[in-house]
Each structure stands twice: as C-alpha cells, then as structure tokens.
Amino acid sequence: MEDVTSSVSGLAFVDQDLDLGDLGGVVQWNAPSDTRRVEAYRVYLTDGASTRSLIGTEIPLGLNETFLPAETDNVWSLVEVYTRSKLVEQTTPIGLAISDTSASVSGIDFVDDDLDLTNLGGSLTWLKPTNAAQVESYVAYLAEACQDSVVAEVTGSLSLSVAATETQVLAAVQASLATMLGVSQSEIIIASITAVSARRLSTTWDVTYKISVPVAQASQLVALTAAINVDATSFVATLREELLHQGVDSAAVTSLQLLSFSTASVRIVVNDLANSTDDSDSGDSNTSDTRRLASSPTSVPLWICHAEVLGNATVNETSMDILVDTPLRNFTHILIYTSSTLAEQTTPEAHLILDAFASVSGVSFQDLDLDLGELGGTVLWLEPQTSQRLLAYDVYLAASETGQFWCPAKLGRFGSKPPMAGYGKTESPTVVLVTGGTGLVGKAINKVVNEDDAAKGETWVFLSSKDGDLVDRSATEAIFKKHQPTHVIHLAARVGGLFHNMAKKVEFFRENMLINDNIMECCRIYGVKKLVSCLSTCIFPDKTTYPIDETMLHNGPPHDSNLGYSIAKRLVDSMNHCYKEQYGCQFTSLIPTNVYGPHDNFNVQDGHVIPGLIHKCYLAKQKGEDMVLWGSGTPMRQFIFSEDLARLIVWVLRDYQEIEPIILSVGEEDEVSISDVAQMICEAMDFKGKLVKDTTKADGQFKKTASNKKLRSYKPDFKFTPIRQGIQTAVDWFVENYSAARK
Ligand code: NAP
Ligand code: GDP
C-alpha cells in the first residue's frame, strides 16, 4: 500500500498594498515533489481556525501562483495552499503567516513662499516611510476636503413593551435618546414604529431611529448605544420619566419592559454637494473620487471631494517644487500617496495648506525734487502683519495706463531687515540671462560682451540645454529662481536649415512654442525688466512684396517648408503685445536674416546653407571629390555675420525701446545668390575641385529680401562685416576646430 503525500513548498506572499489593514499581491509556491494525484491547488486566506476565504478560483496543476487583488480586507492571519486530488482536498495544507505591509510618508511640510493671497509656491517635503521596501514612487495631490458635505448616518433600533399609545411611545423614545446620546431631540428621526403584538395590558413596540451627524461624531454615538446595550438601567429610567411626562399612567410606566436595544450602526453618506464640487473637472483623469483618509494629522477622519495631481517623485526623492503662482482655488490639503508596483494607496497622508500672505500697507511718497517731470524723496511703507517669509521688498515705479494696467520699473531691492524707508536710487546689479548661450549667436554675444567695457559691472549668464530643458516649465522656473535675471536675451530654439525644417514641422512648432511660452511667462513672474527674443526673416509671409519690413510679419501664411517653426516664432510677437497690454512688460523681438559664423551647426543634413556648404567643401577637398550644392543655386539670401548680429542684439537690449520687432540685416544691395556663396566658400577653403549642383534637392523660398531701413534709422553708421571676410573667418574657425565643431 502506497500513502501518497503531495504538499506544496516554498510558499511566498509579499503584501504590496501599502495601506494598513489591506492586502494585495501575488501568492507563489513550488509544486509538490509528487504530483501524480494532484489535480489542482486551492489558495485560501484563513483565520488559522475554521474560517477561510478562497482566493480567486482553483489553480490548475502547472501554474504555481495566484493573484490577490489590492485592497483585500486583512481580517486573516494565514495564507494557505491546499492540493486537491480527484477524490478530495487536503486537510493539512501548507500555511504562511501574513505580514501586512503599510508604508505611508510622514512629516509632510510645505511652507508657502508665494506671498500672494490664494496663490501657492515653494518646496514640498516629506519623510520616507520607515518600511519603503515595496514603495516605487510617491504621488502628490492638491485636494479639497469636503468635511461638511459628508455625514454619518447612525441608525439603531429598540423594542419595548408598555401600555401606551404610538404617539406617547414615539415622543418618549425620541426624548430619551436625545438625553442619553447628547443630541437635540430634533436631530432624532424615528424611521419606523410598529406595534408587533398587542395584549390587554401592554403593547410591544419596535422602534428604529436615525441620526445624521458629522463623521467625526459618529463613533462616540455608537459607543453610547453600545453602553446602553450592555446596561440599560439609566435609559429605562429616562424612558419612564418621559412616558409619565407624556401622560402615561404610572402603573403602566412601572410595568414597562425594554426588550432589546441594539448597538447602532453607521453609514457614511456623501451629499450631492460633495460630488458637485467636482464641476468642470469631472472626467479629468487627474480627479479622484471621494476618498476617506485614515491619516490626517488631527486623526479626525478626512474626506476628500476633489483632488488634482501635483506631481510624482521616485521613492528616494523626498521633495517636490510647487510652482510659484499655483492657484489655491478651493484646495485645502496636500496629499501624498505611496505607490507600489501593484497599486496606489487609498489612504494617503494629508497636510493642511496654510496660504502665506504678506503685503505692505500705508505706502507713501512725497516728491522733494522741485522740477517738473522729475522725482526724488523717500518712499515709506508699513511692514506686513506676517513677515516670517519675507526676504526683501522690491520697489517699482509704475506707469498707470488705463488704470488697471501698469508698467513696472524696479527702483531697488531692500534687505531682509524690513526698513521703514528706502531711497529709490540703488539700482540692483543687472543680471542678463542669455538662453541658447552656447549656440552660433550666443557664442558671438559672449565674445562681444567680453570685449565690452560697459558690461564689466554686469553679470552675464550664458545658458546651454545642460542647464535645463526650456521645454520643461519647472526646469525653466528653476533657472529663473537661481539667477534672478533683470534682463533676458532669448535665443534658445530648435533651429535648423531648410531640409531639417521640412522633415520635422511638428517638433519645430511644439518645442519652440513651449520654450517661448515658458520664457515669457517666467519673465513676467520673476519681474524681468526687458526680454529680447529672436525671430527670423524666414517666418514672413511667402507671398509678399519686397523688400519685407517689420509691419508685414502677420500678413499671410509663411512658406510651407518651415510652417511649424514660423508659426511658433510669430506667436512671440503676438504675445509680446499681449504681455505689454495686460502686464506692462517690456518684451520685444528682433528679426535676423540668415546668420553664419564660428560655432555654427555644421551638420550637413540639419545645418543652414553656409555651415552645410563649408562642411561639404571641407570633405570634398579631403577626399578629392566634387563639392555638391543642393538646389538650383539661384535663390537669393542676405547673410549677417554672427558677431555683427551680436553687437546689434546688445544694442537692442540696452537702447531699443519698442515692442514692435526690428529687422537686423545687411542692406538689400548685399543680397547674394546661393551659387555666389558656394563660390566664396570654395575660395576661402582653397578648394580647386568642381562645384556641381544637385537640382533634385529643394530650393525653398526663392528670396526673402528684407529692408534694414528701420535699423538704419537708429544706427546709420553701423558697419557690417563684408561677406567674403565673414566666410573666411567661419571657414578658418571650422578647419581649426574640426574635431570639436558641431557637425
Ligand atoms: P543654435 O546654434 O542651434 O543654438 C541653439 C541654442 O539653443 C543652443 O545653445 C542650445 O543649447 C539651445 N537650446 C536648444 N534647445 C534647447 C532647449 N530645449 N532647452 C535649452 N536650450 C536649448 O542656434 P542659433 O543659430 O544660435 O540661433 C539662435 C536664435 O537665432 C534662434 O532663436 C534662431 O531661431 C534665431 N535665428 C537663427 C538664424 C540662423 O541662421 N542661425 C537665423 C535667424 C534666426 P545646446 O548648445 O546645449 O544644445
Ligand atoms: P533658408 O534660408 O531658411 O531657406 O535655409 P538654409 O540656410 O538651409 O538655405 C537654404 C538654401 O540654400 C536653399 O535654396 C537650398 O537649396 C540651398 N542650399 C544649397 N546647398 C545647401 C546645403 O548644403 N545645405 C542647406 N541647408 N541648403 C543648401
């Protein structure tokens, strides 16, 4: 006789539901060594005695795991795996004690550094859970607590026998419950009262009642009813008094019997009002349903009607920036949920938001400068009532235009000890931020500024994409926070020649639009005095009259070849006007023609024509091959040497006061054909081979002749570098820096 034993081994379960009292995750085991008689496995949660609950369905032999869904109530002590044969299920399964993972962050801290009422900004920090082994990430939300619109419905019942009328019993029960439970009589609703049996001397009455109270009060009421259930003496005494009061005769009152008194139960009811706060955002994936939080700092259960994602962080991060000017709206709390690979917590940690608000009051100024049109004297103000978050005051002169609009000019910054007065003559040092500072134009500005005495007392910061991706709003904010620029020259852009533009229209639009929006909005928020952005003559209408001038920018669709780039750039001009009109910002733009020079992008595929041809010519010379010019060579262009452009950009920053753009270009008489340019490059490179044309390639716009009349009206004497000289400089630079050049 053979006694078959088939038990699983290596039973494993790691709880991945991060809430206390909830389980979830995968249960795994190894198959028995002898499986000849095993048909299937059954996996149970058990209390270690007779109660158990099957997880999912039976698992066929061959599969060695089952899944326990997140948020399974943990009222169990073991997970057990039984094997089953054709005849019977095992009676002695293999069991594993359940360990309930709970991982919540603690110590959430957020100090609002945005001093405007109803706006938030600053750093949100928290502490890692003590046991973070199952935590993958954190999700932070701004949340609206809806305490008032969520109520607890406490219901209970009792049964008594007394010789009294329904009205008398109802009133006496109502009054007695009110006294015993400490609520007002009007809050007690008698849901039903039924005479179940009527004898000569008494009637048995079944009564059910309902009380709606704030959630926080519910457990206390339940505890009081539980106490009456155990010892009803006082309740019966009160009931007798109330029956007498209702006119029931004393003999009947004496023979009163309380037959039963149940412990009340609680149901949480969310009023429609709570759900309706979800209004415009309903259906938004950022919006969470009403949830109960176990872990509010006050330990009063907290209910959330509406929440919106603030951001995510990986498990090892313990801070997150809340962007300046984040609207507070109706949000009351910050929530931080932990998340495992299985699920996000349902009961996160909550932190009450305190909105910092600090404005000075009593601003006064008496002009002691006796000239008309000039001011001088002391500006006075009173410090804000709450000044803990204050580092300094910025004092501006503002021109009121239509009352509501203003155009600020900063007078100065005054130190952390709030002074009672400050003189408006200390201009803060100028910090000029140059985005795209490592590109063709940025490098040229860097060179010009290094040679410019006027820039000696100023701080110039040249950014590259390594300092932060300007497509990303928070990275852009971090840059402004760090450098606190007073002036910005905005060059950073996704830039490329004709062929690159034709291939990537969507990227050219989206990246440039996002970069420009981030820069303009940060300039507004951080009080930048002047922003100069860079447009391009290739964004003008395709069908137009020549020469092009600044007034024609929006007069028709741009050339199809660079539609994405052009539209993104044109929006900068539109928004410069919007920012001026609404906020008084001094945002302007300049429009260079084709630029060339050292540090250009010499990539043959992606680069502009001059760097592209320089690179091709270099390779043709090296390899003894023909140099290939793309297209017919007949299109006409105006080229500006990068250092000339840099000098003009610095002039625009310091002296050009208009919001309207200004074309920065050589004269119309300096327009050259692509063939001529190619010829000049061959000469500068001393290339003796053949110059051939590949006419299968596109020509792009035939010409975009621009007028520099406006520039000449400001700078009649500006000397441009002759194109042959500029090309020679660019060629020499490329040859000398071949290995490091962008290509
Ligand atoms: P570039 O040589 O290609 O340089 C682009 C610059 O922008 C680089 O410093 C680059 O940083 C930065 N940049 C690009 N994407 C960025 C991002 N997402 N985040 C942060 N920085 C980013 O360009 P350029 O020729 O000097 O052009 C400068 C400006 O002039 C542009 O606005 C362009 O539209 C305009 N423009 C140029 C021409 C021309 O012929 N080149 C003509 C008319 C107008 P990395 O170096 O780190 O990549
Ligand atoms: P655009 O001025 O905005 O059109 O851009 P580009 O600087 O790329 O100039 C394009 C003109 O140069 C077109 O007429 C092209 O056909 C011509 N071209 C000739 N050879 C090349 C080359 O090697 N690269 C580029 N980008 N354009 C070339």
Side-chain angles (χ1 to χ4, degrees):
M1 202 166 58
E2 187 196 8
D3 180 6
V4 173
T5 60
S6 291
S7 279
V8 304
S9 61
L11 180 56
F13 167 67
V14 177
D15 175 26
Q16 290 187 302
D17 184 303
L18 304 174
D19 290 305
L20 193 64
D22 286 353
L23 300 176
V26 179
V27 183
Q28 289 174 314
W29 59 88
N30 298 325
S33 44
D34 181 355
T35 55
R36 282 170 304 157
R37 299 288 163 205
V38 179
E39 297 244 312
Y41 304 106
R42 287 177 182 170
V43 186
Y44 291 89
L45 290 170
T46 81
D47 65 354
S50 54
T51 314
R52 62 184 198 170
S53 158
L54 184 67
I55 303 178
T57 49
E58 258 192 7
I59 314 296
L61 191 68
L63 274 184
N64 292 340
E65 63 176 40
T66 189
F67 178 64
L68 180 63
E71 290 179 48
T72 301
D73 255 2
N74 182 13
V75 288
W76 310 105
S77 52
L78 295 175
V79 53
E80 293 184 334
V81 181
Y82 292 69
T83 50
R84 181 182 64 74
S85 70
K86 202 181 276 181
L87 180 67
V88 72
E89 180 184 285
Q90 270 191 312
T91 43
T92 53
I94 296 297
L96 173 76
I98 291 171
S99 161
D100 182 3
T101 306
S102 99
S104 284
V105 304
S106 57
I108 303 180
D109 196 19
F110 169 69
V111 183
D112 180 21
D113 272 322
D114 184 305
L115 302 177
D116 289 311
L117 195 63
T118 73
N119 281 342
L120 300 179
S123 183
L124 170 65
T125 58
W126 60 88
L127 300 175
K128 199 171 170 171
T130 348
N131 174 8
Q134 296 306 313
V135 179
E136 285 269 301
S137 61
Y138 308 105
V139 191
Y141 288 80
L142 277 175
E144 184 187 340
C146 49
Q147 216 76 310
D148 293 345
S149 44
V150 176
V151 289
E153 222 173 63
V154 179
T155 52
S157 62
L158 56 117
S159 172
L160 56 91
S161 136
V162 66
T165 65
E166 180 178 317
T167 318
Q168 288 168 328
V169 171
L170 189 150
V173 166
Q174 206 173 27
S176 309
L177 283 172
T179 310
M180 296 302 291
L181 303 181
V183 293
S184 80
Q185 209 163 315
S186 60
E187 282 178 272
I188 297 173
I189 306 210
I190 301 297
S192 68
I193 174 162
T194 329
V196 281
S197 68
R199 300 211 188 107
R200 195 167 53 83
L201 288 179
S202 68
T203 306
T204 299
W205 298 96
D206 280 354
V207 184
T208 59
Y209 63 90
K210 191 170 84 180
I211 313 168
S212 292
V213 288
V215 176
Q217 228 177 302
S219 53
Q220 194 196 351
L221 282 193
V222 172
L224 289 171
T225 61
I228 299 173
N229 182 328
V230 174
D231 176 5
T233 324
S234 311
F235 179 70
V236 171
T238 315
L239 202 50
R240 287 202 164 115
E241 262 177 47
E242 293 297 339
L243 286 167
L244 284 174
H245 190 65
Q246 292 299 320
V248 180
D249 73 61
S250 56
V253 167
T254 316
S255 65
L256 158 85
Q257 280 189 319
L258 182 68
L259 304 173
S260 70
F261 190 97
S262 74
T263 300
S265 59
V266 181
R267 194 167 74 94
I268 300 297
V269 182
V270 182
N271 293 338
D272 284 342
L273 176 67
N275 292 326
S276 70
T277 53
D278 226 337
D279 52 33
S280 58
D281 292 321
S282 59
D284 182 339
S285 60
N286 273 352
T287 307
S288 65
D289 294 325
T290 306
R291 300 179 184 205
R292 182 182 172 192
L293 302 184
S295 339
S296 82
T298 55
S299 79
V300 173
L302 184 66
W303 288 80
I304 296 300
C305 292
H306 175 63
E308 277 182 26
V309 175
L310 252 179
N312 297 279
T314 58
V315 63
N316 291 320
E317 290 173 305
T318 51
S319 69
M320 184 183 290
D321 279 344
I322 297 184
L323 296 183
V324 168
D325 276 348
T326 299
L328 179 60
R329 307 204 330 247
N330 292 330
F331 296 123
T332 52
H333 287 79
I334 292 170
L335 312 180
I336 300 184
Y337 292 73
T338 54
S339 223
S340 69
T341 46
L342 179 69
E344 187 178 286
Q345 274 191 311
T346 43
T347 53
E349 279 295 309
H351 176 80
L352 186 69
I353 299 171
L354 294 176
D355 181 10
F357 170 56
S359 274
V360 305
S361 56
V363 180
S364 67
F365 169 70
Q366 248 188 12
D367 178 24
L368 301 178
D369 181 306
L370 302 178
D371 289 310
L372 192 63
E374 287 177 2
L375 300 175
T378 306
V379 181
L380 294 164
W381 61 86
L382 299 174
E383 72 181 85
Q385 285 180 333
T386 325
S387 56
Q388 296 98 307
R389 308 301 309 159
L390 274 188
L391 281 187
Y393 301 106
D394 288 337
V395 182
Y396 289 83
L397 280 179
S400 167
E401 285 176 358
T402 59
Q404 171 188 14
F405 304 136
W406 50 283
C407 165
K410 201 189 271 184
L411 280 175
R413 171 161 289 197
F414 303 97
S416 51
K417 280 243 171 258
M420 287 309 289
Y423 289 96
K425 286 182 181 160
T426 48
E427 183 76 54
S428 54
T430 306
V431 179
V432 187
L433 191 69
V434 183
T435 73
T438 50
L440 164 66
V441 183
K443 284 280 187 191
I445 295 181
N446 200 338
K447 183 165 185 271
V448 165
V449 165
N450 281 336
E451 296 163 358
D452 180 5
D453 282 345
K456 291 279 184 282
E458 301 164 345
T459 306
W460 284 70
V461 182
F462 291 88
L463 294 178
S464 85
S465 60
K466 292 191 192 73
D467 295 297
D469 182 359
L470 299 177
V471 168
D472 180 78
R473 174 62 190 271
S474 46
T476 312
E477 270 226 17
I479 288 172
F480 276 75
K481 234 184 219 168
K482 182 173 168 192
H483 297 292
Q484 300 282 334
T486 55
H487 294 68
V488 173
I489 297 177
H490 173 40
L491 307 172
R494 183 164 181 147
V495 179
L498 168 66
F499 298 96
H500 195 198
N501 260 285
M502 288 188 345
K504 298 276 178 198
K505 287 178 188 169
V506 173
E507 284 80 2
F508 270 88
F509 172 74
R510 295 198 62 231
E511 287 176 30
N512 286 319
M513 201 260 305
L514 289 169
I515 291 175
N516 297 338
D517 178 56
N518 287 336
I519 291 294
M520 283 190 274
E521 187 59 359
C522 284
C523 282
R524 176 187 75 78
I525 292 169
Y526 286 85
V528 166
K529 268 185 171 179
K530 186 161 178 183
L531 164 67
V532 177
S533 299
C534 197
L535 312 184
S536 167
T537 47
C538 64
I539 69 170
F540 274 95
D542 179 34
K543 303 212 175 351
T544 184
T545 54
Y546 295 101
I548 296 163
D549 70 41
E550 290 82 354
T551 64
M552 302 173 171
L553 189 57
H554 303 283
N555 285 359
H559 193 265
D560 182 54
S561 59
N562 62 357
L563 182 63
Y565 175 82
S566 301
I567 295 299
K569 287 273 184 190
R570 282 187 187 184
L571 290 178
V572 172
D573 173 58
S574 308
M575 289 311 294
N576 282 348
H577 286 277
C578 295
Y579 273 103
K580 171 70 179 172
E581 205 178 289
Q582 190 173 338
Y583 294 106
C585 297
Q586 181 74 13
F587 293 176
T588 189
S589 61
L590 49 90
I591 312 182
T593 51
N594 291 39
V595 192
Y596 70 101
H599 299 282
D600 209 337
N601 176 7
F602 291 87
N603 185 293
V604 170
Q605 290 306 323
D606 299 344
H608 286 99
V609 55
I610 291 187
L613 287 177
I614 290 177
H615 193 178
K616 284 203 254 179
C617 188
Y618 178 89
L619 296 177
K621 187 176 168 187
Q622 297 277 309
K623 298 180 186 165
E625 292 172 353
D626 294 344
M627 141 112 164
V628 185
L629 177 157
W630 290 341
S632 65
T634 53
M636 304 293 289
R637 296 287 184 269
Q638 284 153 300
F639 291 96
I640 182 166
F641 185 53
S642 56
E643 281 177 34
D644 294 347
L645 178 60
R647 276 190 192 88
L648 290 173
I649 292 178
V650 173
W651 163 76
V652 169
L653 182 78
R654 296 195 194 290
D655 298 317
Y656 179 72
Q657 298 301 336
E658 296 181 35
I659 301 299
E660 294 295 342
I662 180 164
I663 292 174
L664 303 182
S665 169
V666 296
E668 292 156 59
E669 64 287 0
D670 291 323
E671 197 171 32
V672 289
S673 75
I674 298 295
S675 288
D676 288 346
V677 166
Q679 200 55 51
M680 289 181 218
I681 288 170
C682 292
E683 286 165 25
M685 189 72 78
D686 196 21
F687 172 69
K688 301 280 190 255
K690 244 181 23 187
L691 175 62
V692 296
K693 290 175 186 161
D694 177 355
T695 49
T696 62
K697 297 278 190 186
D699 268 348
Q701 273 171 282
F702 175 67
K703 65 174 191 170
K704 36 190 181 174
T705 320
S707 160
N708 68 358
K709 210 167 146 195
K710 182 171 185 178
L711 173 65
R712 282 296 180 208
S713 72
Y714 281 104
K715 304 279 288 176
D717 301 325
F718 187 83
K719 298 259 176 309
F720 288 98
T721 306
I723 186 161
R724 275 180 196 282
Q725 185 187 327
I727 284 184
Q728 190 65 59
T729 309
V731 166
D732 292 346
W733 185 89
F734 181 68
V735 174
E736 272 164 39
N737 297 278
Y738 181 74
S739 53
R742 266 189 297 166
K743 52 187 189 304

